[in-house]
Amino acid sequence: MFYVIAFLLAGFILGKILPSKIFLWIQKLISVLIWSLLFLLGLEMGKNDTIFSQFHLLGFDAFLLTIFAVFGSLISSSLVWKWINKSKK
């Protein structure tokens, strides 16, 4: 856990020190890496037979929990995005 916090802090410090023009390409790189990680996670889940063999045990409650978590995340991130953009104006 210490390493995670140390890397986050080092990135924060470098982000404050270095000029923002250097980081324009990093946004695209981050998007590609996130999509790649999601793909690899799906690949790993698809390869796992235990997930599919016990899928019926998850039940309707797990499905509802997942749906509400996704929609809750979408709504809250939308509200935060609007709040951030409103404060910039």
Side-chain angles (χ1 to χ4, degrees), residues 21-78:
K21 290 182 181 180
I22 294 174
F23 296 108
L24 293 176
W25 60 273
I26 290 181
Q27 293 176 353
K28 293 178 184 177
L29 177 66
I30 288 173
S31 294
V32 169
L33 289 174
I34 288 174
W35 286 112
S36 300
L37 286 172
L38 286 172
F39 175 75
L40 291 173
L41 179 64
L43 190 67
E44 185 69 27
M45 287 177 56
K47 191 173 70 169
N48 192 345
D49 292 332
T50 307
I51 292 175
F52 288 107
S53 66
Q54 297 181 356
F55 194 72
H56 66 281
L57 298 176
L58 294 175
F60 188 67
D61 293 339
F63 176 73
L64 282 179
L65 182 64
T66 302
I67 295 298
F68 283 122
V70 168
F71 282 116
S73 296
L74 289 172
I75 291 169
S76 61
S77 63
S78 173

Side-chain angles (χ1 to χ4, degrees), residues 74-85:
L74 289 172
I75 291 169
S76 61
S77 63
S78 173
L79 291 173
V80 169
W81 184 259
K82 288 179 182 179
W83 178 66
I84 288 172
N85 284 335

Side-chain angles (χ1 to χ4, degrees), residues 6-21:
F7 272 95
L8 182 66
L9 186 61
F12 179 78
I13 291 170
L14 280 175
K16 287 295 184 185
I17 293 173
L18 296 175
S20 61
K21 290 182 181 180

